[in-house]
């Protein structure tokens, strides 16, 4: 298992170290002394663990993996030891609310509650699944093998060839899912040792809402999209965002958006410049610049020295107060630039709350830190900001160009909502036994059809395990935070735009240079999780509950255009129900010679398939966004007639979902646990 180094927490199970009395009536003074002792030792243990994990993911070798597992075990023992102490205090008798909050956070320790040997085996399994994911390749019959980033991602984003897309889509799932299917398992024992029924309940407890599942489901009653679309034709390996097929559904094809990626390459942008631009954005708000070591120690590009690395982009805090890093295999592209701004939002959060207790150095809730990063991208991707950086030459957009821009944003943001929901919905059902192991893949695709309107392009079996094609499944990382983040980012953006003095359409706002917006944002970030998240949200927005009104306001010009266009065209939206019935790709010598594929019960040529599916994609988004428009109107109905509830509507209107009393605990990368231990790295979706 490796040798003990540094912290001294690797010498056997914690039960063998300083056994504690069964019950001691510790008072508030002793509680403060205990928390002070914890604070003195925690930073060292956490720093060693983060360093070992960084060394592994930036140089995937067996010795580095063993060292990481050893340090993870030491960290878990440390957590278990202090959690045992924290349980000895009667929180109801403690008056200081900060002390109460700190003790409560230390009591929950996630998987660290597992017995020593079981924890070691669990960590090895997760590390193996992550490694298998990161090293997976898809190989051509005659030619080189392709890794996920950037090779296969590039194929999915740019190819319009049905066969090539199918090769990449199916090849990735064969390479990852089939390999992990026999060993994938979900252990509920850690959750039960923390007092929860299963791991899903433990994950949901981070939001401290008894009706979280109902709140999340309710929004889909307004956004339900019907009609199956093959999952490999939407410009993304997971069909989680559809913006790469904007050219197929552009409302005004004669006014295509400027190719920002082309402009970046033409102006000789490099990876480091993208990070410099993001750092400059935050300093323009009067916020902090990254320390000099950030540029020396971060991994901003894929190494060229032959090392195997984990390319899943992430931001890291090393618990020293001045060591913050990013790990990303950056490419010069608009998508990567926005990811860079997102990551630098995480780094800014880390820097802002460094003066807090280590227990409170995390986002206000699991979605909050994600929302801060993506909120910044709403400004940095605006036409106004791109013009200021010299990537766009025209100062203003006309109304048609604006609609095109908003359609692209909708393909990215709105399409992501159902995916971000079903990722955890599937796993919650696995955890509670609703979905049994022999029907994992079947139920995965049932959920994808129900919530995303997607079908696999070829038949799937239980030998496949398609959920594992997304990193967060083998890495055991919760995903609900990305769903809530998608709504919350617009709420934060609107509040800071108002604070900056901006007047105009929300999608045109750029808070760059606003010291007022920066002061408000910085004050909220400095709170970390020291206050309940509704208080932090109120500090930022003046509201203590999450609201969807801002996202509706942002897309209002697009909604207005869609409604008017459908009236003008006399369109009747929607189509009959279908099930996933796409046939397999024909074998050589059979249907392949006819160049036909089965789609919706018809035999079509491949070029016809692409044409028909492009229409279906466009119609599906028209349907989706019109439903958003209806939700927008329902919002105003509720707003202006708060005491009148239409008889045909449920008590909670979906577009005004309020998820209240969310918890402030954060779920880190692969290693769930209590505050102070749970934020190793923050990852984009």
């Amino acid at each position: 298992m490796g040798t003990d180094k540094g912290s001294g927490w690797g010498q056997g199970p914690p039960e063998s170290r300083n056994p504690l009395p069964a019950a001691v009536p510790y008072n508030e003074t002793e509680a403060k002394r205990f928390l002070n002792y914890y604070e003195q030792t925690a930073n060292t243990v956490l720093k060693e663990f983060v360093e070992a994990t960084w060394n592994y993911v930036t140089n995937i070798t067996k010795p580095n993996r063993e060292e990481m597992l050893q340090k993870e075990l030491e960290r878990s023992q440390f957590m278990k030891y202090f959690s045992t102490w924290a349980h000895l205090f009667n929180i109801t008798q403690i008056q200081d609310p900060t002390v109460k909050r700190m003790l409560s956070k230390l009591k929950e320790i996630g998987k660290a509650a597992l017995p020593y040997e079981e924890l070691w085996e669990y960590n090895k399994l997760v590390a193996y699944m992550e490694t298998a994911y990161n090293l997976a390749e898809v190989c051509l019959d005659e030619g080189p093998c392709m890794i996920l980033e950037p090779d296969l991602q590039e194929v999915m984003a740019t190819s319009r060839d049905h066969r090539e897309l199918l090769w990449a889509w199916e090849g990735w799932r064969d390479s990852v899912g089939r390999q992990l299917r026999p060993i994938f398992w979900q252990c509920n024992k850690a959750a039960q040792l923390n007092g929860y029924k299963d791991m899903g309940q433990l994950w949901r407890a981070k939001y401290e809402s008894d009706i979280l599942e109902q709140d999340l489901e309710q929004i889909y009653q307004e956004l339900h999209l019907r009609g199956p679309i093959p999952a490999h034709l939407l410009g993304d390996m997971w069909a989680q965002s559809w913006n790469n097929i904007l050219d197929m559904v552009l409302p005004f094809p004669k006014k295509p958006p400027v190719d920002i990626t082309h402009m970046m390459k033409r102006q000789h942008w490099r990876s480091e410049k993208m990070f410099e631009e993001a750092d400059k954005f935050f300093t323009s708000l009067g916020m902090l610049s990254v320390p000099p070591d950030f540029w020396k120690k971060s991994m901003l590009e894929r190494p060229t020295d032959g090392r195997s690395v984990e390319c899943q982009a992430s931001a890291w805090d090393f618990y020293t107060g001045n060591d913050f890093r990013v790990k990303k295999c950056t490419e010069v592209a608009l998508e990567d630039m926005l990811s860079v701004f997102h990551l630098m939002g995480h780094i800014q959060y880390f820097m802002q709350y460094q003066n807090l207790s280590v227990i409170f150095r995390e986002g206000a809730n699991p979605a909050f830190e994600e929302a801060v990063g993506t909120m910044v991208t709403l400004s940095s991707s605006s036409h106004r900001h791109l013009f200021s950086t010299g990537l766009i030459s025209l100062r203003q957009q006309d109304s048609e160009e604006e609609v095109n821009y908003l359609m692209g944003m909708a393909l990215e943001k709105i399409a992501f909502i159902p995916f971000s929901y079903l990722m955890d919905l599937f796993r919650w059902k696995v955890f509670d036994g609703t979905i049994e192991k022999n029907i994992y893949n079947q139920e995965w695709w049932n959920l994808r059809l129900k919530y995303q309107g997607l079908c696999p392009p070829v038949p799937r079996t239980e030998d496949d395990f398609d959920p594992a094609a997304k990193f967060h499944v083998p890495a055991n990382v919760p995903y609900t935070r990305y769903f809530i983040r998608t709504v919350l980012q617009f709420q934060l953006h609107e509040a800071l735009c108002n604070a900056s003095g901006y007047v105009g359409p929300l999608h045109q706002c750029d808070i760059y240079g606003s010291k007022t917006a920066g002061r408000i944002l910085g004050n909220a970030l400095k709170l970390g999780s020291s206050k309940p998240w509704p208080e932090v949200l109120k500090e930022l927005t003046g509201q203590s509950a999450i609201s969807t009104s801002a996202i509706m306001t942002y897309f209002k010009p697009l909604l207005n255009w869609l409604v008017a266009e459908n009236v003008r065209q006399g369109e009747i939206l929607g189509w009959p129900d279908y099930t996933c019935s796409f046939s397999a790709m024909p074998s050589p010598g059979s249907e392949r010679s006819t160049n036909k594929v089965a789609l919706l019960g018809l035999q079509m040529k491949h070029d016809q398939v692409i044409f028909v599916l492009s229409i279906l994609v466009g119609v599906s988004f028209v349907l989706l966004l019109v439903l958003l428009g209806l939700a927008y109107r329902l919002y105003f109905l509720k707003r202006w007639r708060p005491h009148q509830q239409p008889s045909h509507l449920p008590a909670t209107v979906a577009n005004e979902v309020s998820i209240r009393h969310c918890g402030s605990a954060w779920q880190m990368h692969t290693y769930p646990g209590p505050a102070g231990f749970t934020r190793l790295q923050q990852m984009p979706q």
Side-chain angles (χ1 to χ4, degrees), residues 264-293:
M264 293 171 69
K265 292 178 178 178
R266 184 177 176 182
Q267 296 178 17
H268 306 293
W269 281 52
R270 62 193 191 285
S271 299
E272 190 169 302
K273 178 175 173 59
M274 290 147 65
F275 285 91
E276 291 169 350
E277 287 292 323
D279 191 50
K280 186 169 70 172
F281 186 98
F282 284 104
T283 57
S284 82
L285 303 177
M287 303 180 79
L288 301 173
S289 179
V290 295
D293 276 355

Side-chain angles (χ1 to χ4, degrees), residues 149 159 204 226 229 269 339 378 453 502 558 592:
E149 295 185 40
S159 177
R204 293 189 296 274
R226 307 187 69 81
I229 302 171
W269 281 52
S339 174
L378 295 177
Y502 171 78
L558 178 61
R592 186 179 297 272

Side-chain angles (χ1 to χ4, degrees), residues 582-595:
F582 297 97
S583 67
M585 287 298 293
S587 58
S590 60
E591 289 186 44
R592 186 179 297 272
S593 61
T594 66
N595 197 32

Side-chain angles (χ1 to χ4, degrees), residues 349-451:
Y349 216 145
F350 297 163
M351 294 190 295
Q352 291 289 341
Y353 57 50
Q354 276 306 302
N355 292 328
L356 293 175
S357 161
V358 67
I359 297 175
F360 293 143
R361 290 183 216 161
E362 58 184 358
N365 73 26
F368 217 92
E369 199 158 327
E370 291 293 332
V372 169
T374 52
M375 176 271 296
V376 172
T377 69
L378 295 177
S379 282
S380 62
S381 64
S382 68
H383 187 89
R384 183 188 301 254
H385 189 79
L386 293 174
F387 174 79
S388 71
T389 60
L391 291 172
I392 289 178
S393 58
L394 295 178
R395 181 180 294 273
Q396 300 291 336
Q397 288 178 309
D398 63 29
S399 59
E400 293 181 350
E401 290 168 335
E402 282 191 344
V403 169
N404 282 346
Y405 169 77
L406 287 172
M407 177 61 84
M409 292 295 287
L411 289 170
E412 176 191 353
K413 304 290 186 180
I414 303 300
F416 179 70
I417 290 174
F419 178 83
S420 61
Y421 176 43
L422 68 86
M423 278 285 292
D424 273 359
L425 182 61
F426 170 79
R427 289 184 287 178
W428 293 345
K429 291 178 179 291
V430 170
F431 291 140
D432 68 17
T434 303
I435 297 178
E436 297 180 352
K437 189 169 185 177
N438 63 332
I439 54 171
Y440 277 172
N441 222 42
Q442 171 187 316
E443 291 304 309
W444 169 254
W445 283 107
N446 284 343
L447 289 172
R448 297 209 74 181
L449 177 62
K450 177 181 179 180
Y451 290 103

Side-chain angles (χ1 to χ4, degrees), residues 473-525:
V473 173
N476 206 31
V477 178
Y479 214 79
T480 298
R481 60 178 180 245
Y482 299 113
F483 162 71
I484 299 175
R485 177 241 17 221
T486 303
V487 176
L488 184 57
Q489 64 181 298
F490 291 93
Q491 189 174 358
L492 302 184
H493 179 62
E494 182 179 54
L496 294 180
C497 287
N498 291 338
S500 72
Y502 171 78
V503 177
L506 187 56
H507 67 275
Q508 294 180 4
C509 174
D510 174 19
I511 63 171
Y512 182 90
S514 173
K515 299 297 191 292
T516 301
R519 176 179 52 79
I520 293 172
L521 179 59
N523 288 342
L525 302 189

